[in-house]
Amino acid sequence: MISTRVGETIDREEREYFDLFLEIANFEAAAFYEIEGGGYEVEIITEYEKLIAVNRDPNSLNILRDYIDRFEEIVVTKKYFEKKWRIKDYDDLGLPITIEEINRTMRYSFIVGCGVGGCLIGLLSSASVVLFRGFLAAMSDHFESEGDEWLIITAATGVGLITGSLAGYAVAKEKALTAIKKARKLRSVEQ
């Protein structure tokens, strides 16, 4: 049971009142079943079919319970509800996706790979500049090396590492969000 306010299933009237599953045509009822490891499976019955979606966020039942129990307050101050639960986005059913779920889904190896790639780009580009300056110093009597080669290489490598890691994080976060939405898609099962 999600909440004492709705009982074991969400019917048509509750759906309308709590703004749940409004995109589902011919909605009749929805029931939630807790799954091992946290989260739930929602079973939605329409006039013509049974639909199922899975939400693996361990906080998802608590978020939904809080939403229903404090609905009238949340409708007025939704941003505080979203801040409390760290909601980043919503899936196709209009159910929240939290930052914690995104972080659990992210592939950190991608971030590391982008960081290493950025580091290498910074290292190679700064080494090229240092070598070019050395070449100019060797070929010209008027151009002298200033002895800051290691500073240039270290700074450029560090900037490359940070930039690559941040870019990798942004891409990994977006890919995780897409993967969560895809995993939560409704699928039809026999009725």
Side-chain angles (χ1 to χ4, degrees):
M1 180 166 50
I2 296 295
S3 168
T4 55
R5 292 186 75 179
V6 295
E8 292 184 12
T9 61
I10 293 175
D11 60 28
R12 288 180 193 175
E13 291 78 27
E14 292 164 337
R15 166 208 189 198
E16 293 294 326
Y17 183 80
F18 293 109
D19 291 331
L20 295 169
F21 313 117
L22 297 178
E23 301 298 318
I24 307 295
N26 305 308
F27 178 92
E28 290 187 357
F32 294 83
Y33 303 96
E34 193 168 1
I35 58 175
E36 191 175 319
Y40 59 80
E41 180 178 273
V42 60
E43 184 179 282
I44 299 171
I45 307 295
T46 72
E47 285 182 41
Y48 308 106
E49 63 185 336
K50 182 186 339 182
L51 304 165
I52 292 179
V54 177
N55 182 330
R56 297 197 183 278
D57 186 349
N59 288 321
S60 58
L61 286 172
N62 292 328
I63 294 169
L64 189 57
R65 184 173 293 118
D66 187 35
Y67 174 79
I68 291 171
D69 288 346
R70 298 184 318 115
F71 176 75
E72 293 78 11
E73 175 188 338
I74 290 168
V75 168
V76 176
T77 59
K78 191 171 184 177
K79 72 177 182 174
Y80 296 111
F81 173 74
E82 290 176 338
K83 184 177 180 180
K84 172 186 175 182
W85 290 106
R86 299 184 63 192
I87 296 169
K88 177 67 177 166
D89 203 350
Y90 292 87
D91 63 19
D92 292 345
L93 293 174
L95 299 172
I97 299 171
T98 63
I99 291 171
E100 286 79 12
E101 184 178 13
I102 292 169
N103 288 340
R104 276 191 305 278
T105 306
M106 277 197 323
R107 293 180 44 209
Y108 288 93
S109 59
F110 186 78
I111 299 167
V112 171
C114 288
V116 169
C119 183
L120 289 173
I121 290 170
L123 176 65
L124 294 173
S125 61
S126 62
S128 298
V129 168
V130 167
L131 286 172
F132 183 69
R133 286 177 58 189
F135 176 75
L136 286 177
M139 300 303 285
S140 170
D141 293 335
H142 303 292
F143 190 85
E144 291 184 25
S145 177
E146 296 180 20
D148 58 356
E149 291 83 6
W150 288 110
L151 178 63
I152 292 170
I153 290 173
T154 302
T157 303
V159 168
L161 174 67
I162 292 168
T163 304
S165 297
L166 290 174
Y169 179 80
V171 172
K173 189 167 139 183
E174 194 58 39
K175 286 182 177 228
L177 187 59
T178 301
I180 291 167
K181 288 180 179 182
K182 184 177 179 182
R184 289 190 187 182
K185 289 270 188 208
L186 280 173
R187 66 185 195 284
S188 182
V189 295
E190 290 184 33
Q191 190 166 357

